[in-house]
Amino acid sequence: MYNRLYEHLTSNKLLYNKQFGFQAKNSTEHAILQFTREISKCFEKGEYTLGVFIDLSKAFDTVNHEILLKKLEYYGIRGTLLNWFKSYLENRKQFISYEDHLSLCCSIICGVPQGSILGPLLFLIYVNDLCKSSKILLEVMFADDTNLFLSDKNINSLFENMNLELENTITWFKANKLSLNIKKTKWSLFHPTSKKRFLPKVLPDLLIDGLKIERDKVTKFLGVFIDENLSWKHHINYISTKVSKSIGILYKAREFLNKHNLKQLYFSFIHTYINYANIAWASTHKSKLERLYRHQKHAARLINFKDRYTHAKPLLEEMKILTIYELNIFNVIFFVYKCKLKICPNIFNDIYALKPANKYTLRDDGVLSTPAIRTDLSKFCINYRAPHLWNKIILEKNVLPENLSIPVFKKKLKEVVFTTTEITKYF
């Protein structure tokens, strides 16, 4: 039933295209990328972006069955099939078992069955029309993580319009019987560092039901800390702290483990941190990543039982471990390849847009189109960075043949990145 329902929703393009949760080809990294590229676009236009991060209370447990069934009918689930879903949702019971004691059974009157394959998909259907509550807000969602964005060059107009749009959004939540946690709902004002001096000393308030919501200058979205200037300073500090502690584990484990086991620990405790959402936060200036590179070199010496004076780069190469710089370039280029194969969300199709054919040869040469940019920050935005790195490393060097399987492409791409000289010039 899940397969039939999901096929119906995707083939008819019924799901909101900026909902990245619980769908094939979608991930938290895609949500983070979309989040940051929307803000980068506004920076490029010289606009401020106001973001409101909605916190819902027990969202999956408060889904109203009657409303959900009406939405299923609206999306084309009717007749016997709708009755099947009604039977699936209704007359469920729950009780608590503790040691030898059982509580009384009570009826489940709302919520989707959690732990089931259908539960998350039904929730996506339930919140799918949130985007229609406003004509000017941009929503980036991952399941119940709901983020609202609005941009404007004028601060006063920006806050005034956001307050008006929040009223419409809150009306939608109330109509759908979803509860907001106002204390945990925050807002941030995203702006380039250069525009900070133009901000008023006291910013207007944002209100929900007459209650003031608090500003959060650094927000944590799907495990990544994003500050108002997209500097990634806070997230890199966070990663550095985690990696530093993991290096302490490596140091203590050297007494008991061999090189092979220590390398496994590296990938378990260090690589996972520096690789997650690396395509977003590690696309930044070289100087900001230098500390993480030093941690990697320290770890390489520990794994190989070398002293602090040993040159670490050959050790990393011998173990086939990509540096933080190489890892970012690997992830960005691999992302382009996945866009080419159509295994990324359709919203990223513009990443793999071919440059128009040369007017003299009337034949395209496979070069990807890169947008014109005017700010330094925009060169690290995925819209520019992805096609730029593809053109410079893959096309100009003519290093990879076409139509490789994903495992083969990843293996060959890793070899290309390892052999690319002066890798840091791309940062």
Side-chain angles (χ1 to χ4, degrees):
M1 185 59 75
Y2 170 88
N3 292 337
R4 291 176 63 188
L5 179 59
Y6 187 66
E7 172 64 23
H8 169 72
L9 294 170
T10 53
S11 61
N12 291 289
K13 299 180 180 179
L14 298 176
L15 292 175
Y16 177 53
N17 66 350
K18 296 181 184 68
Q19 167 62 267
F20 296 94
F22 305 119
Q23 297 184 69
K25 302 192 298 185
N26 287 259
S27 71
T28 54
E29 291 188 343
H30 293 137
I32 294 165
L33 271 183
Q34 184 62 24
F35 182 116
T36 55
R37 80 167 180 163
E38 291 292 349
I39 295 171
S40 296
K41 286 179 186 177
C42 297
F43 283 10
E44 184 69 20
K45 293 186 289 185
E47 296 178 336
Y48 298 99
T49 300
L50 192 54
V52 177
F53 308 100
I54 300 292
D55 187 273
L56 294 175
S57 299
K58 299 181 179 180
F60 283 74
D61 293 326
T62 54
V63 169
N64 182 277
H65 291 167
E66 183 180 351
I67 295 174
L68 175 58
L69 290 169
K70 287 181 179 178
K71 292 191 178 190
L72 282 168
E73 185 176 15
Y74 174 79
Y75 290 120
I77 311 301
R78 303 186 179 99
T80 303
L81 196 55
L82 185 64
N83 289 332
W84 186 93
F85 277 101
K86 183 176 181 181
S87 174
Y88 177 75
L89 292 168
E90 295 181 347
N91 298 317
R92 287 180 174 270
K93 307 287 184 181
Q94 65 182 8
F95 67 91
I96 295 172
S97 171
Y98 178 71
E99 294 183 349
D100 297 329
H101 304 283
L102 298 178
S103 71
L104 295 174
C105 277
C106 61
S107 297
I108 300 175
I109 59 174
C110 60
V112 292
Q114 293 198 44
S116 66
I117 191 172
L118 274 174
L121 185 56
L122 292 175
F123 181 80
L124 295 190
I125 293 171
Y126 195 78
V127 298
N128 195 53
D129 59 331
L130 170 61
C131 60
K132 296 183 179 179
S133 65
S134 171
K135 293 182 179 180
I136 62 173
L137 287 183
L138 168 71
E139 294 90 358
V140 176
M141 305 171 69
F142 191 90
D144 60 332
D145 271 314
T146 305
N147 308 292
L148 313 174
F149 298 98
L150 187 62
S151 300
D152 201 308
K153 291 184 177 181
N154 184 284
I155 285 291
N156 292 325
S157 298
L158 181 58
F159 277 81
E160 182 181 344
N161 289 331
M162 179 59 89
N163 273 315
L164 291 173
E165 295 306 313
L166 278 177
E167 291 181 10
N168 296 331
T169 303
I170 300 310
T171 298
W172 184 93
F173 281 118
K174 289 178 178 178
N176 287 273
K177 300 186 178 181
L178 293 173
S179 301
L180 267 71
N181 188 333
I182 296 179
K183 289 184 178 180
K184 291 186 178 180
T185 295
K186 309 289 184 180
W187 64 269
S188 297
L189 181 63
F190 296 97
H191 58 280
T193 307
S194 59
K195 289 180 73 70
K196 185 176 181 179
R197 66 182 185 274
F198 300 113
L199 290 173
K201 291 183 178 180
V202 180
L203 292 171
D205 291 332
L206 283 182
L207 305 173
I208 293 178
D209 282 344
L211 298 175
K212 180 180 174 180
I213 57 176
E214 296 179 0
R215 181 183 184 182
D216 200 346
K217 292 186 178 182
V218 180
T219 185
K220 189 177 184 182
F221 178 57
L222 299 175
V224 175
F225 291 91
I226 303 175
D227 62 88
E228 292 185 325
N229 306 123
L230 287 191
S231 71
W232 302 112
K233 178 178 68 176
H234 292 83
H235 187 70
I236 291 171
N237 287 342
Y238 167 76
I239 293 295
S240 181
T241 301
K242 291 290 186 181
V243 169
S244 181
K245 291 179 180 178
S246 299
I247 287 175
I249 295 173
L250 280 180
Y251 180 78
K252 293 177 181 178
R254 286 205 310 171
E255 185 178 347
F256 310 101
L257 302 177
N258 59 29
K259 178 180 175 179
H260 175 73
N261 297 136
L262 289 172
K263 184 178 175 182
Q264 287 181 314
L265 283 182
Y266 172 88
F267 279 99
S268 297
F269 291 106
I270 296 176
H271 180 80
T272 50
Y273 282 113
I274 65 174
N275 189 52
Y276 175 67
N278 174 288
I279 189 173
W281 62 264
S283 292
T284 187
H285 294 284
K286 171 189 172 183
S287 57
K288 295 180 181 179
L289 302 173
E290 180 65 31
R291 190 168 19 150
L292 294 177
Y293 181 40
R294 289 200 300 269
H295 284 320
Q296 284 186 292
K297 292 191 291 184
H298 188 185
R301 295 187 186 104
L302 288 176
I303 294 170
N304 288 275
F305 300 91
K306 301 295 184 180
D307 60 47
R308 60 185 296 185
Y309 302 105
T310 303
H311 188 30
K313 185 63 170 72
L315 300 178
L316 290 167
E317 291 177 355
E318 186 267 330
M319 292 187 293
K320 301 297 182 182
I321 293 176
L322 296 171
T323 67
I324 184 67
Y325 309 108
E326 294 166 341
L327 188 60
N328 175 257
I329 288 177
F330 175 90
N331 286 330
V332 172
I333 293 177
F334 183 49
F335 176 72
V336 178
Y337 194 67
K338 289 191 292 184
C339 290
K340 176 187 177 185
L341 297 181
K342 307 297 183 185
I343 55 175
C344 280
N346 293 336
I347 199 169
F348 294 111
N349 283 351
D350 58 326
I351 297 295
Y352 195 79
L354 291 174
K355 190 175 182 180
N358 186 290
K359 65 180 180 179
Y360 298 107
T361 64
L362 298 179
R363 180 181 63 189
D364 82 72
D365 49 9
V367 175
L368 302 188
S369 177
T370 54
I373 58 173
R374 64 181 185 83
T375 65
D376 181 62
L377 185 65
S378 294
K379 72 179 183 180
F380 294 116
C381 176
I382 193 67
N383 278 28
Y384 177 86
R385 186 167 175 77
H388 174 72
L389 288 178
W390 180 272
N391 293 340
K392 290 293 182 182
I393 294 179
I394 301 302
L395 293 187
E396 283 190 11
K397 298 182 179 182
N398 194 26
V399 290
L400 288 176
E402 290 287 325
N403 303 318
L404 297 175
S405 67
I406 285 183
V408 174
F409 180 86
K410 289 178 72 173
K411 182 179 179 180
K412 290 187 175 293
L413 176 59
K414 195 170 184 178
E415 294 171 358
V416 169
V417 173
F418 269 130
T419 56
T420 298
T421 57
E422 298 181 5
I423 201 84
T424 56
K425 70 182 180 182
Y426 298 106
F427 290 84

